[in-house]
Amino acid sequence: MNNAHDSEILRELHAAVIDLVDEINRPRRDDRLIEEAGIPLDRALFPLLARVWRYGPIGVVDLADRTGRDHTTISRQMSKLEELGLIARRSSTTDKRVREATVTEKGQEMVDLLNAARERLANRILVDWAHEDLDQLKTFLRRFADDLMRS
């Protein structure tokens, strides 16, 4: 079976994904979310807290790989999150050389505020979208992300 798809559609899909990633990665987006959540968190720490919550327990090397940043930078930022009481680190159960991070109760409260703020902001952006359209977008994005992670 030939799985080749229309080149123009693939170019447009790629352009849309790049635009989406670029927009999501703009510092002002994180600033707006942090402001909407009403939390005192440095913009550089926000993505790490969110990923520890999503993927934890997680080590520095894995977190650096997921964020596309240097592991020494991530290690320093993880220490800041730990000092703030937002994460806790412990030795991995599978590799004692690795210290894995999890979100603390205080960190979970902050994540809850961020998630509520994200939902409010999303509702403003998606105000004119029908439920069926959002459900379809969710389904296709999840499928795309899953297939991308497997390749």
Side-chain angles (χ1 to χ4, degrees):
M1 177 195 312
N2 184 354
N3 285 337
H5 294 286
D6 182 285
S7 294
E8 183 61 27
I9 291 172
L10 293 176
R11 277 192 296 275
E12 289 178 19
L13 177 60
H14 182 257
V17 169
I18 294 298
D19 289 347
L20 184 62
V21 169
D22 286 351
E23 191 58 36
I24 288 171
N25 285 332
R26 288 183 191 273
R28 68 180 171 84
R29 288 277 175 202
D30 289 347
D31 289 338
R32 278 183 54 203
L33 181 60
I34 290 167
E35 182 181 331
E36 179 75 24
I39 58 172
L41 185 63
D42 184 283
R43 180 180 358 111
L45 301 178
F46 154 70
L48 300 180
L49 179 62
R51 283 178 178 85
V52 170
W53 173 74
R54 171 86 166 89
Y55 301 110
I58 188 169
V60 168
V61 172
D62 289 339
L63 194 55
D65 184 52
R66 287 193 176 277
T67 59
R69 291 158 133 186
D70 180 76
H71 76 279
T72 57
T73 300
I74 297 299
S75 182
R76 282 192 304 275
Q77 292 172 328
M78 294 291 281
S79 292
K80 289 179 186 175
L81 286 170
E82 192 171 28
E83 289 169 14
L84 293 170
L86 302 176
I87 65 164
R89 293 193 279 183
R90 66 176 194 290
S91 294
S92 167
T93 56
T94 57
D95 185 346
K96 298 297 180 200
R97 297 170 298 173
V98 175
R99 291 183 66 212
E100 294 178 324
T102 56
V103 173
T104 63
E105 186 176 322
K106 181 179 178 183
Q108 184 62 54
E109 290 170 5
M110 193 166 284
V111 167
D112 291 344
L113 290 170
L114 286 163
N115 286 339
R118 186 178 293 110
E119 186 174 327
R120 288 190 301 274
L121 291 171
N123 277 319
R124 290 179 206 150
I125 294 166
L126 302 168
V127 67
D128 295 326
W129 286 55
H131 175 78
E132 296 78 19
D133 293 338
L134 285 174
D135 190 50
Q136 194 172 27
L137 177 64
K138 173 201 59 132
T139 299
F140 287 139
L141 278 177
R142 181 74 269 154
R143 180 178 170 190
F144 182 69
D146 291 344
D147 288 349
L148 186 62
M149 289 186 291
R150 277 195 292 274
S151 65

